[in-house]
Amino acid sequence: MKLQKATRCALFAIMELAAEPDRQLSANEIAEKYGISTNHLAKVLRSLGRVGLVEAVRGAGGGYRFSGNRRRTTLLDIIQLFETIDPIRHGEREDGDDTTEGKALCQVLMEIEDTARATFASITLDTMIKLVDRGR
Amino acid sequence: MANSQPRQSERKCNVRLAKASDIPQVIAIDAENTGLSKAEYWEDLFDRYNNRSADMDDDTQPKSVKRYRFFLVACDGDTVLGFIIGEVRAWEFGSPPCGWVFAIGVRNEIRQGGVGNTLLEALNERFRKAGANKVRTMLARDHTLIMSFFRSQGMMAGPFIELEKDL
Ligand SMILES: CC(C)(COP(=O)(O)OP(=O)(O)OC[C@H]1O[C@@H](n2cnc3c(N)ncnc32)[C@H](O)[C@@H]1OP(=O)(O)O)[C@@H](O)C(=O)NCCC(=O)NCCS
C-alpha cells in the first residue's frame, strides 16, 4: 500500500509534533529530518492547521505545535484530509467495472480496502507514538 | 494546554476469578454494551470456565491442575466494574500455545479509567503462567472502539486471516 506524498508529510509532521506537544518546531526542522520539501510541508501544515490539529506559533522562534487530541485522533482522520484510501467503497468507478469480471474484481479490492480502513481507523496517534517508541 | 488529553483518573479495582454471584452483573454490563441480554450464554460460560470441580474459589492453582481458562472480573467491593474471558489454546491451526481473549466489557460510566487495561494485563499474566507467550483476539472489523483498545495495548494484525462463506 502506498500513501500519497502529502499524506506522508502530514503523518510525519503530526507524529513529530504530537510526540512532544509542548515543543514547537519549524517546517524546516521537520522537513529536514524526513528529507521532504519545506514548501510542500508548509502547505500540508496549513491544511492541518485549518482542522485544528496543529497551530502556528507567532513571533521569534515561531513554528508549529500540536493542538489536537492524541488519544482520539486516528491515522484515518489525518489520511482522509489528503486522500481516499477506499475509493471503491466511495463509489469511484473505473472502466470495465460493470462487467461480471469487473464486479468480482471490485469485490476482492473492497475486501482489501475495508481492512486498510479498519487498520487506519483503529490506530490513534497515541498508539502510533508508542509503536515508534518501541522501535527505538 | 495543547495536549490536555481527557484521561479519567485511574479507577482502583481488584481482579479475580468470577464467582456465580458476579454473573448477574456481568450479564447487565454485556447487555448495556451490546444491547442484548444473554443470561443463558453467560451462565453456561461461567459453568464451563470457572465452575468445574477442580476449581478453587480463587485462582491459586492446585499443583496438579493447570488452569488454562479464565473468566475474570474487576471489582470494587461487590460491584463488578468489568470482565474479561480467555483461554490458552495449543496447536490450533498449527499455532503453538497462545492465549485467546474472547470477550471484554467495562461498565459504560467508568470507561477510560484504566479498568480495561488492568483486566487485560491480569489475563496476560495468567496466560504467561499457563505457558503462553502470545495473546490473540478476533474482532469485528468495524468495531473501532474495541480495536483501538487492543491496539493501544500494542496488539497488531497476526499471521492468520479469518475466512467465511454463506452455507
Ligand atoms: C474496550 C473497553 C473494554 C475499554 O475499557 P476501558 O476501561 O475504557 O479501557 P482503559 O481505560 O483501560 O483504556 C485503555 C486504552 O484503550 C484505548 N481506548 C479506550 N477507549 C477508547 C476510545 N473510546 N477511543 C480510543 N481509544 C480508546 C486508549 O488508548 C486507552 O488508553 P489511554 O486511556 O491511556 O488513552 C470498553 O470501552 C468496553 O467495554 N467497550 C465495549 C466492549 C464491547 O462492546 N464488547 C462487546 C464485544 S466483546
Side-chain angles (χ1 to χ4, degrees), chain B residues 13-141:
Chain B
C13 63
N14 165 38
V15 179
R16 57 164 171 76
L17 279 187
K19 298 183 205 156
S21 56
D22 299 324
I23 302 308
Q25 290 188 72
V26 169
I27 294 167
I29 295 171
D30 172 62
E32 184 187 49
N33 286 351
T34 65
L36 287 175
S37 183
K38 311 183 267 297
E40 223 175 282
Y41 167 75
W42 290 105
E43 277 151 15
D44 175 59
L45 210 61
F46 173 72
D47 269 347
R48 286 188 289 125
Y49 273 63
N50 287 13
N51 215 15
R52 291 166 311 148
S53 54
D55 294 339
M56 311 304 250
D57 278 350
D58 61 22
D59 55 343
T60 46
Q61 307 168 352
K63 284 210 171 55
S64 55
V65 185
K66 192 152 185 164
R67 174 175 278 286
Y68 62 97
R69 288 173 150 184
F70 306 92
F71 186 157
L72 306 178
V73 286
C75 299
D76 182 357
D78 289 336
T79 310
V80 176
L81 305 176
F83 61 87
I84 191 164
I85 303 178
E87 81 179 49
V88 174
R89 289 192 178 172
W91 309 118
E92 239 182 7
F93 311 108
S95 159
C98 163
W100 271 92
V101 184
F102 294 118
I104 182 165
V106 169
R107 266 183 207 278
N108 209 347
E109 68 272 17
I110 55 133
R111 289 202 192 150
Q112 288 171 62
V115 173
N117 190 8
T118 306
L119 278 165
L120 185 61
E121 260 317 302
L123 183 61
N124 286 346
E125 196 44 46
R126 285 159 176 83
F127 282 160
R128 278 186 211 104
K129 283 195 183 136
N133 57 14
K134 209 174 263 301
V135 56
R136 211 169 259 159
T137 192
M138 187 160 79
L139 309 162
R141 196 156 42 193

Side-chain angles (χ1 to χ4, degrees), chain A:
Chain A
M1 157 133 231
K2 197 164 160 59
L3 294 171
Q4 286 171 20
K5 234 185 198 153
T7 315
R8 289 173 59 84
C9 284
L11 289 172
F12 285 143
I14 284 282
M15 281 195 272
E16 194 62 36
L17 294 170
E20 276 182 63
D22 294 331
R23 179 183 58 168
Q24 61 198 54
L25 288 173
S26 68
N28 233 333
E29 287 169 297
I30 301 172
E32 204 164 296
K33 171 164 176 184
Y34 297 97
I36 51 188
S37 122
T38 308
N39 272 344
H40 200 142
L41 183 67
K43 229 169 96 187
V44 164
L45 283 164
R46 280 196 294 278
S47 307
L48 294 172
R50 276 195 292 275
V51 294
L53 284 171
V54 301
E55 61 188 9
V57 187
R58 292 180 204 293
Y64 288 90
R65 194 160 51 196
F66 181 66
S67 54
N69 182 336
R70 246 168 76 156
R71 293 198 163 92
R72 287 295 168 271
T73 311
T74 67
L75 296 185
L76 185 67
D77 294 331
I78 296 161
I79 293 170
Q80 274 178 336
L81 298 172
F82 301 93
E83 64 182 287
T84 306
I85 49 125
D86 46 357
I88 302 173
R89 277 273 178 235
H90 274 81
E92 251 177 57
R93 288 292 169 261
E94 292 204 60
D95 294 346
D97 277 354
D98 291 333
T99 62
T100 329
E101 291 77 0
K103 282 183 187 140
L105 184 58
C106 279
Q107 212 180 336
V108 173
L109 295 178
M110 249 189 301
E111 179 180 318
I112 298 168
E113 283 187 357
D114 289 348
T115 306
R117 187 187 171 84
T119 301
F120 291 134
S122 62
I123 301 182
T124 61
L125 289 177
D126 202 60
T127 297
M128 196 61 193
I129 288 164
K130 284 190 225 160
L131 184 61
V132 173
D133 287 341
R134 278 205 300 278
R136 284 194 209 284

